Amino acid sequence: MTEHVEWSEPEAVAAPASAAVTPADAADAARLVAFGLQPKLQPARDQEYADLLRRYREDPPFARLADAVATGLGLIVLEVSPRAGMAVTAAEDSVFAVRMGDYARRTSADGGDRFLHGLAHLAVATMAFPRPEDLADDGYIGRVTVNGVDAFVRQACHRLEERAAQQGENTDPASDAPGLEAAWRIWARRSSTGATKDARRLPGSTTGIVAKAVGFLTDSGFLQRTGDDNGGTYRTTARYQLQVRDMAGGAAMAELLELGVVPVTDGTPTLLPPEDGDDLEPVADAGLPFHSA
């Protein structure tokens, strides 16, 4: 009889009834993920959102349930915190994924423009967080302007064009095959503002493309507009820092940073004149926060 009691004790402790997941728990977990899909929604301004975030941090089974809901929707949880809310990004096979080709097609019928839009997003991310420590510091706020991003890309184009000429590379590839061109060559040949009678910025100009990029990032909760100077001024959000941090290992961003034309002074990136350095070339068709397909 003694042996029977000893074997029965573990069975009595296992699987308490309180561990069962209820439909209400599943609904709350899905509700939290739904909040996370509203990037402009701030937890401090929504009590239900704040309560669910607190439950996620304090209730591990609920946190695992919310993570599972996100995974089932093809989402990757980057962070769950009061500063960022439930910050999620779409996996490549998710229905929520935004693809560079689709984004570019909404702005222009020219297939070559996808390189320009990708490069604009890459440049915004590079200027917003020019140092690894900026991405690691949760309190860091990056600042960019439309004209500043365009000037930065043109400065990089100038340096890369000089290096290509020194190496005797073809700087005038076939115009009917934009997919074979480096993104910097397409950008350098495009007008910065375009030309209209009332001096409006053309959507197909490079500043127009940058404006489209920062507008998309603002609508997605990654940037906040702070003024109209220099074509529009913007500051980064916690969500954008997490997004860029997640994708900062890409070769394109690393190579653009290594060009050394974005020093940091008071938090606002500025431009430096070209200097000699290693031969580098940005990877074409790279954009944040898009999937390439």
Side-chain angles (χ1 to χ4, degrees):
M1 294 294 293
T2 302
E3 292 181 358
H4 177 72
V5 172
E6 291 176 351
W7 281 97
S8 299
E9 287 178 352
E11 296 177 3
V13 174
S18 59
V21 175
T22 67
D25 293 331
D28 285 345
R31 180 68 171 158
L32 178 57
V33 174
F35 279 130
L37 289 169
Q38 302 176 60
K40 288 188 175 182
L41 182 62
Q42 299 180 12
R45 298 183 178 180
D46 191 293
Q47 188 60 50
E48 183 183 5
Y49 193 4
D51 290 343
L52 289 173
L53 288 173
R54 186 179 305 108
R55 183 179 177 187
Y56 181 100
R57 299 193 307 274
E58 298 175 355
D59 185 350
F62 177 75
R64 290 193 294 270
L65 181 60
D67 289 343
V69 171
T71 299
L73 292 172
L75 300 171
I76 300 170
V77 180
L78 299 177
E79 181 178 302
V80 180
S81 67
R83 78 178 188 114
M86 187 169 197
V88 296
T89 187
E92 188 171 357
D93 58 349
S94 173
V95 67
F96 298 104
V98 179
R99 306 192 181 279
M100 190 67 241
D102 296 336
Y103 171 87
R105 281 193 292 273
R106 291 200 299 266
T107 62
S108 174
D110 183 357
D113 277 5
R114 66 182 300 176
F115 292 98
L116 301 183
H117 289 285
L119 188 53
H121 279 273
L122 178 63
V124 171
T126 304
M127 291 195 73
F129 303 102
R131 303 171 301 185
E133 53 264 39
D134 300 332
L135 284 175
D137 181 4
D138 289 345
Y140 182 85
I141 297 176
R143 294 174 175 83
V144 298
T145 68
V146 170
N147 293 347
V149 171
D150 181 49
F152 163 57
V153 177
R154 289 188 179 277
Q155 186 74 21
C157 290
H158 178 68
R159 174 171 293 185
L160 292 167
E161 185 176 13
E162 285 184 337
R163 293 179 181 177
Q166 291 172 1
Q167 296 173 7
E169 295 179 359
N170 176 22
T171 59
D172 189 22
S175 59
D176 60 347
L180 300 178
E181 294 181 319
W184 65 266
R185 289 170 177 159
I186 308 176
W187 193 284
R189 295 195 306 208
R190 187 66 61 93
S191 170
S192 179
T193 59
T196 61
K197 293 182 179 179
D198 55 1
R200 287 181 301 167
R201 182 170 56 200
L202 292 177
S205 66
T206 53
T207 54
I209 288 170
V210 175
K212 174 67 177 180
V214 295
F216 172 83
L217 293 171
T218 301
D219 291 341
S220 301
F222 294 135
L223 296 178
Q224 293 176 346
R225 188 179 180 102
T226 59
D228 299 326
D229 294 338
N230 296 313
T233 60
Y234 299 81
R235 56 177 284 175
T236 60
T237 65
R239 280 177 172 261
Y240 191 47
Q241 185 182 49
L242 292 169
Q243 179 77 46
V244 177
R245 185 185 296 170
D246 184 59
M247 305 181 73
M253 186 171 182
E255 291 175 355
L256 198 53
L257 280 171
E258 289 174 15
L259 284 174
V261 295
V262 193
V264 180
T265 53
D266 59 353
T268 302
T270 56
L271 296 176
L272 284 179
E275 297 177 356
D276 294 335
D278 297 333
D279 292 325
L280 297 168
E281 184 170 312
V283 176
D285 198 22
L288 298 169
F290 301 99
H291 295 288
S292 59

